[in-house]
Structure formats: structure tokens, C-alpha cells
Amino acid sequence: MPRLHKYRDRDASYVLTAIRGAVVTFQLTADGEKKLAAARIGPGEKFPRALLLDLYRRGDAFTGGSGPASLALDSAGQLEMDFANDPDPETAFPACDVCRSVNDLYLTIGGNPDDLVAQLQCATCRALPTARPDTSIPLALLSRPLLLRLFQLKPVAAKAPNVKQFEELLRAEFESKWAALRKQRGTSQTSLFDSTPAAGFNLPSD
């Protein structure tokens, strides 16, 4: 299960979890921290992976590939982690279609004008000489309506598997998971979220 942590050197929180055999750090927006706090999830506590997925799809949890340089350490000087069995699979998180990394993912569209391909790519794969997409957008900025609009503006011939998985994630509903946690912890909020994921940019009209 993901575990919430506080940074040692600043007033902010982050989440550690294990995905595909690697420890991944998720940064949180201020709204992401508020949503976890409203659900009474504090530093050092584990919470269901589905909640992290919901924060991720809304842009309130994101990866940057910066590593654990300033992360909180336990008394033995080691990262405190407890990745117990979780009913929600770690593979539910989208990954790079080239190398399977989950860090710093962008949606990219490239190829021949009449044969465009949409992929998810990490920073390393986007930097490869062969990777020259004409469109590159951070996943944290994409909501379902914006993604639909993007594919209307730029019709693609093929979508890589992780693009399809990301579309499914945007369609998923997680409110029941938050409601179950609120009931378990005795909180009374009817909803912690707006009805749609937040958007961070506007697509061009032509």
C-alpha cells in the first residue's frame, strides 16, 4: 500500500509506493494534501492504492523522477516503507510504452503526418534521438475532456497500450473508495472532489 510521508526540509508531503518492482515517489499538490488530510490520512499512514490512483488521474499526485534525496528517514537511517498486499494492482498505473518507467510521463504524438502514433513516454525515452514527437503534454495536465479534444484535433492511427490504459483510468470512478475510507474513519464529508478532474491548460482551437 502507498504510505504518506513528510519531507524533512520543507512543509510538504509525498507518497511512497512500489510499482513494477521499483520504489516510486509521488509528489502531492496542495489540493492532494488537503484531500488526504480530510480523509484523516496523516504522515506515516498507509492508504489504499485506489486513492492514489484517483489523485494521480486528477493531477494531484505526480512523479518527477527526482529521487529520494530529501525524504524522511527512520531511526536507522533507512526509508520507512511497508508495501503490504493491496487489492488494487500496481499495474493500474500507466507506464512508459518504451521502457515501462512510471516517472515523469508525457503523452506524445509523433510519426508521419498520415500515420501518427500516441504513446506515453518518460523523460529518458523522450530524450532519445529517435523520439521527436510533434506533441508532448504532461499527463498531470490532461483530463478526459481535454484528451478527447486532443484526439479530435490530432487524429492518430494507433494508440499504444499505456495510452489506452490512461484513457481507462480517466474514465474510472473512485468515489466509492473514498466513501468507504470516510465511513471507516468516521469522517462526514459527502465528497472530497469536484465532479471532473482539474484541467491545467487549454488546447488550441486549430
Side-chain angles (χ1 to χ4, degrees), residues 29 31 35 51-61 138-148 166-175 178 191-202:
T29 65
D31 282 345
K35 289 163 186 171
L51 305 191
L52 180 59
L53 274 166
D54 202 34
L55 294 174
Y56 178 80
R57 79 181 184 120
R58 293 174 180 274
D60 286 322
L139 288 199
L141 297 182
L142 286 173
S143 64
R144 187 183 178 195
L146 286 171
L147 190 61
L148 291 172
F166 182 62
E167 289 182 303
E168 289 300 319
L169 179 62
L170 291 181
R171 280 194 286 266
E173 295 292 341
F174 292 91
E175 181 57 32
W178 289 98
S191 178
L192 298 174
F193 298 95
D194 295 329
S195 59
T196 57
F201 74 111
N202 293 318

Side-chain angles (χ1 to χ4, degrees), residues 1-7 10 12-19 22-29 32-33 36-37 41-53 55-56 60-64 66-68 71-72 79-83 86 93 102-103 178:
M1 283 186 174
R3 184 186 289 269
L4 182 65
H5 292 267
K6 289 282 288 185
Y7 282 103
R10 62 183 187 270
S13 300
Y14 63 94
V15 175
L16 285 183
T17 192
I19 300 176
V23 176
V24 179
T25 305
F26 284 85
Q27 317 297 325
L28 295 171
T29 65
E33 291 191 37
L36 289 175
I41 298 170
E45 290 191 284
K46 295 179 291 182
F47 59 94
R49 196 184 306 276
L51 305 191
L52 180 59
L53 274 166
L55 294 174
Y56 178 80
D60 286 322
F62 58 94
T63 61
S66 58
L71 306 186
L79 286 173
E80 182 184 354
M81 294 174 290
D82 181 1
F83 302 125
D86 194 304
F93 284 96
V102 300
N103 281 320
W178 289 98

Side-chain angles (χ1 to χ4, degrees), residues 48-186:
R49 196 184 306 276
L51 305 191
L52 180 59
L53 274 166
D54 202 34
L55 294 174
Y56 178 80
R57 79 181 184 120
R58 293 174 180 274
D60 286 322
F62 58 94
T63 61
S66 58
S70 61
L71 306 186
L73 303 177
D74 63 19
S75 59
Q78 301 293 322
L79 286 173
E80 182 184 354
M81 294 174 290
D82 181 1
F83 302 125
N85 291 333
D86 194 304
D88 300 291
E90 62 187 42
T91 52
F93 284 96
C96 176
D97 281 296
V98 180
C99 72
R100 306 297 292 170
S101 170
V102 300
N103 281 320
D104 196 19
L105 294 177
Y106 278 51
L107 173 72
T108 65
I109 299 175
N112 298 324
D114 296 328
D115 192 27
L116 294 175
V117 176
Q119 291 184 308
L120 300 191
Q121 292 185 340
C122 66
T124 300
C125 293
R126 292 196 307 274
L128 294 174
T130 55
R132 295 190 176 182
D134 65 3
T135 301
S136 185
I137 303 171
L139 288 199
L141 297 182
L142 286 173
S143 64
R144 187 183 178 195
L146 286 171
L147 190 61
L148 291 172
R149 176 62 173 154
L150 175 62
F151 287 138
Q152 289 173 353
L153 294 173
K154 297 189 74 66
V156 298
K159 297 177 183 178
N162 277 286
V163 174
K164 296 177 181 178
Q165 182 178 349
F166 182 62
E167 289 182 303
E168 289 300 319
L169 179 62
L170 291 181
R171 280 194 286 266
E173 295 292 341
F174 292 91
E175 181 57 32
S176 63
K177 302 285 187 177
W178 289 98
L181 185 66
R182 291 195 298 270
K183 182 177 180 181
Q184 175 186 342
R185 297 188 174 224

